[in-house]
Each structure stands twice: as C-alpha cells, then as structure tokens.
Amino acid sequence: METKVEWPGDMPEEEFRRFASQASEWIADYFNKIEDLPVLSQVSPGWLKEQISPAAPDSGEDFAAILADMDKLILPASTHWNHPHFHGLFSTSTSGPGILAEMLAAALDMKAMLWRTSPASAELEDAVLGWLRDMTGLPDVFEGIIYDTASVSTMHAIAAARERARPDIRELGMSGRDDLPLLRVYCSEEAHSSVDKACIALGLGLRSLKKIECNDVFEMKADALAAAIEADLAEGIMPFCVVATIGTTSTTAVDPVEEIARICESYGLWLHVDAAYAGPAAILPELRPLFSGWEKADSIVMNPHKWLFTPFDLSAFYCRDMASLRRAFSLVPEYLRTADSATVKNGMDYGFQLGRRFRALKLWFVIRYFGREGIAARLRNHCRLARDFADWIRQSENFELMAPTPFALVCFRAVPKHLAETQDQSGLDEFNERLMNKINASGKAYLSHTKLKGRLALRFSVGSIRIMPRHIEEMKELLTGAVAEIGLSMQ
Ligand code: PLP
C-alpha cells in the first residue's frame, strides 16, 4: 500500500511538484528569449514599488499568480546579466548546473557554522576549493574558505594581516591608545574600492591606506611601493599589508606580483592578491605567466561568480596562514561549544558570519558538469573573442584602444575625425558618453565606462557563457552605426 506523506504547514507536495516543473520551464523559456529582452532594464526608478501592494497579504495567494508576476513585474525591472550583450562592468553568467545546485542547496537550507550543523557543506567546501586551487596551479599550502564576495574576502585578508602584525588589537581595539603607531596598508591607485572599504570597516581608517602610483599600463610601480614602505618606516608608521591585483577593475591590468612578493618578504608584510575577476583564467596554461608570483602570497581571492559560470554569490578565499585568520575571528559562545572542535573545521571560526550558505554545492556541480577542459575551452573562447574585438578596434579609423587586453576586457573609445584632429579631449569624453548612453538606451547591449589617465574610456567585457562570434559582429555594427548617427546629429 502506498503511504501518503503529509507536508504539514508547507505547500502541498502535489503543488510543489507541479510548480517546480513550471519554474524550471520558466527558466528555460527565459534563456530562450533573453536576446529579445533589453539588456539594461528600461524601467524608471520607483516603477516596481508602485506595482507592489504596500501591505503584505493577510491570506496566502495562489502560487500560479505569484509565478505569473515574474513576467509581469520582475522581468521588466531586471537587467539581464546573462544576456550575451551584457558587456558592462564584468560580464558574468550563471549556468544550468549552477542554477540547479542553488535549488537543491535551498532545499537542504543548511547553515554552515559548525561541522555538525552541515558536514556536507564543511567537507565539500574543502574538497571543491582544493579542486579549484589545483586547477589554477596554486600549491597545496593554501587552504580555502568560501565567502560571499571579494569585498568580504579582502576585508578578512586585511583582518588576518592585522591580527598577525598586532595580535593585541583583538582585545584592546585601536581607539584611545597612544601605544599604537599608524598601521599601513598599500595597494595601487587602480585597486578595487573594496580595499578602501575594508580599511574603513576594520577601524584602520582611510588614512591607513596608501595608494601606490601605476605605470603607463596601469600596473603598480614596485619601486614606488618599496620607497613608500621605507618612507613610512622612517616616520614610525607600521606597514603590515600589501594588496596586489591581478586583473584590475578598470582595465584588468596585472601588478608585478613577483616583485611585490619579494618586497613583502623582505619587510615581513602580508601579501593579499586580489584576483577576483581574473583568477579563474589561471586554469588556462597559456595565461598562467600572468599569475607569476601569486603562489608566494599570504592570501588570494578569486570569484567563481565572476568568471566561472557559478551563480552569484561565491568568492573563493585562499590563505596560507589560516591560524591568523582563525585567531582574528574565532569566538565560541557556550551554546556552540562542541567536543569535536579540535578535529573538525567549523566555518564560523574563519570569518565574521556565524551561519553560512551551502555555496560549495554549486561550484561542485559546475566543475563536475563542465570539467576542467570544458571550463578552459569557454574561458579561452572569451579571450579570443575579446582579442578579435580589440583587433577590430585597433584597425578601425573611428576607434582606438585605451589599454592592453590581457584577459577578456577591451577598453576603447570612439575617435571621430573632427574631434581627433583637434585633439579635443573633453569633446571626445562627451562624444563617448553619448555613444555609451545611446547603446544602453537601445536595449541591444550594455557597456560601462571608466576614466583612464583622466579620459573617458568604454569597457567591453566578454564573459557570458552564451556569447558567440556573431555577437562580436553585432557589436561592431551597433558601434559603427551609433558613431555615424551621433556624428550626423552634431553637424
Ligand atoms: N576586486 C576586483 C578586482 C573587482 O573587479 C571587483 C568587482 O568587480 C571586486 C574586487 C569586488 O567584487 P565583489 O562584488 O565580489 O565584492
């Protein structure tokens, strides 16, 4: 006889099965029609809030009505990060196996604080971070922990560095003390703003952060770093941490990590490498030289949610000194004390959060489904398509490159003849801003911008799992047409 299992309190089983398959149909249809949707949401601020009742419903609603609102309300207010013409910021994308893993992780809903509350998460996290470490060629002296974002990973790196340099701060703090020199963190002027934010959050203050000058191609000048450290020591300031970047946010420039590592070693400083975007590209043997020296770092961050087809969020943090990280954050209240704590890894000991999501599952699914070779082929394709686009820019009369393309990001600008001839730089900035706004308003593609040496540059990032050569051709046509139209309207 068939036994009927009740789901007391929850959605009935029959409804769950029916709507689960409708939700997966919805996702498949969404990917099928994504190219018909405007990449950048075209709604005005406040549009969605106006459609949502200000009061929560008193009685439950039909799930079919809730799901229908995905099309009516949520899609128009969505910017489609998975659209192959999302080229702004960093183009990132989720993937089928990653989405399915998220659904399964939500079902298990484990809070990975103690090993015993989530053995699968604790152990899979170690195993899958080991895979990624080996795939990217890092030595096994690095142990890992998964956080949500690179910003949080970098904050934990600086906290661990501070713990190693001044262990008394954990107990005494930094305020109201006259026995503590100014502590110094260094990064380049092209480093991500999360380094600044980490200094704010950790109570170091922005005055603790020294930005080191870059060369012509936006890489930190190692000799300027060494000089800054010497000058600080002479003033009684205490250097303790350097953040080097492999793949800066504006241009994907690569700091000279090998030289920076030597400097850190000679002054006893913690070296954190921010490879949030570029890290997964170390899977490609031909790009490995760009990562030279990162194996000497004390900690490294890379984001599978940026360039490894893993749904947001998952940031992989590697550290060779887990003891300092643990000393910085471990605090065990009585109700979380367990007899096995000396023999197992409790995630809550290595960070600010207590409960942690079961993020390792999606990375495990993604790596198993595509395999190292499948991932490498996709990343290689992105780099090739970006290089093709950069070659077209280089050869075009109407555009110019603004930075090298070591990975899959092209920084460029339009140089229409009438402005190029007079070298009217602010006119060029204005023209390029109009160009970007025109393309973004068309809904056909999304570009973003940065400032390089004071001038506006457009950023074309290639990272979608769905991108094909035809998208690069479409982009060339779109840009050429838009430049001609703006030129005409200015005559
Ligand atoms: N570091 C670099 C080099 C980045 O490019 C970014 C974001 O683009 C970050 C850090 C921040 O990443 P997250 O959003 O994961 O905090």
Side-chain angles (χ1 to χ4, degrees), residues 176-327:
R177 294 178 66 174
D178 50 19
D179 63 332
L180 198 62
L182 182 69
L183 303 188
R184 184 72 90 198
V185 182
Y186 307 84
C187 66
S188 90
E189 51 195 15
E190 291 289 322
H192 190 261
S193 54
S194 54
V195 184
D196 307 55
K197 280 198 180 179
C199 290
I200 298 169
L202 292 168
L204 293 157
L206 288 173
R207 80 187 174 115
S208 279
L209 180 61
K210 182 156 263 176
K211 302 266 175 100
I212 305 296
E213 195 189 329
C214 288
N215 64 14
D216 251 18
V217 283
F218 314 105
E219 302 159 348
M220 188 197 286
K221 285 185 174 172
D223 52 355
L225 171 68
I229 294 170
E230 279 297 333
D232 280 347
L233 287 171
E235 271 188 54
I237 292 170
M238 182 181 182
F240 76 101
C241 181
V242 177
V243 180
T245 311
I246 299 183
T248 58
T249 310
S250 275
T251 68
T252 70
V254 177
D255 286 339
V257 178
E258 194 83 59
E259 268 177 274
I260 294 172
R262 261 196 301 275
I263 294 169
C264 286
E265 196 187 4
S266 65
Y267 291 97
L269 311 185
W270 183 290
L271 172 59
H272 174 61
V273 171
D274 179 354
Y277 158 72
I283 295 171
L284 300 178
E286 66 273 27
L287 292 189
R288 198 60 75 66
L290 294 171
F291 295 82
S292 169
W294 77 332
E295 71 286 351
K296 296 181 184 131
D298 294 280
S299 58
I300 296 172
V301 59
M302 63 177 104
N303 277 358
H305 71 227
K306 277 197 182 359
W307 205 10
L308 206 63
F309 317 118
T310 306
F312 190 77
D313 48 10
L314 196 159
S315 181
F317 179 72
Y318 289 99
C319 187
R320 62 164 73 232
D321 180 6
M322 291 296 270
S324 288
L325 184 63
R326 191 188 160 115
R327 274 198 310 275

Side-chain angles (χ1 to χ4, degrees), residues 277-465:
Y277 158 72
I283 295 171
L284 300 178
E286 66 273 27
L287 292 189
R288 198 60 75 66
L290 294 171
F291 295 82
S292 169
W294 77 332
E295 71 286 351
K296 296 181 184 131
D298 294 280
S299 58
I300 296 172
V301 59
M302 63 177 104
N303 277 358
H305 71 227
K306 277 197 182 359
W307 205 10
L308 206 63
F309 317 118
T310 306
F312 190 77
D313 48 10
L314 196 159
S315 181
F317 179 72
Y318 289 99
C319 187
R320 62 164 73 232
D321 180 6
M322 291 296 270
S324 288
L325 184 63
R326 191 188 160 115
R327 274 198 310 275
F329 287 103
S330 182
L331 187 77
V332 186
E334 187 51 40
Y335 49 85
L336 291 171
R337 210 168 286 285
T338 55
D340 57 11
S341 61
T343 52
V344 297
K345 186 169 168 187
N346 293 323
M348 67 173 199
D349 287 335
Y350 298 91
F352 186 76
Q353 271 185 277
L354 173 59
R356 303 162 59 252
R357 297 182 59 218
F358 186 11
R359 294 191 180 90
L361 191 71
K362 54 190 169 186
L363 187 54
W364 192 50
F365 272 40
V366 167
I367 298 177
R368 286 183 68 184
Y369 183 80
F370 294 113
R372 188 188 52 75
E373 286 172 3
I375 290 169
R378 285 163 176 80
L379 300 183
R380 191 171 282 128
N381 185 44
H382 291 162
C383 295
R384 187 176 56 77
L385 292 177
R387 269 198 312 274
D388 288 353
F389 182 78
D391 285 345
W392 176 74
I393 293 282
R394 197 177 289 111
Q395 285 154 21
S396 163
E397 280 185 351
N398 295 320
F399 298 96
E400 70 180 6
L401 289 173
M402 300 286 279
T405 297
F407 300 101
L409 173 82
V410 184
C411 293
F412 71 102
R413 68 175 176 175
V415 280
K417 227 175 176 175
H418 68 287
L419 295 170
E421 273 166 4
T422 54
Q423 279 296 304
D424 175 0
Q425 294 299 334
S426 53
L428 282 167
D429 285 355
E430 215 176 288
F431 188 96
N432 279 281
E433 194 160 355
R434 281 180 71 176
L435 175 61
M436 176 176 73
N437 292 341
K438 188 174 175 64
I439 285 181
N440 291 345
S442 76
K444 290 183 183 150
Y446 171 44
L447 293 175
S448 62
H449 77 283
T450 189
K451 278 261 167 89
L452 298 177
K453 299 176 191 156
R455 304 280 50 118
L456 193 118
L458 303 179
R459 294 172 71 268
F460 177 81
S461 166
V462 178
S464 169
I465 201 164

Side-chain angles (χ1 to χ4, degrees), residues 464-485:
S464 169
I465 201 164
R466 288 163 209 288
I467 198 160
M468 292 181 277
R470 77 167 161 85
H471 294 108
I472 303 298
E473 297 310 312
E474 285 167 11
M475 206 57 214
K476 293 177 190 171
E477 274 173 39
L478 196 58
L479 281 164
T480 309
V483 165
E485 277 177 40

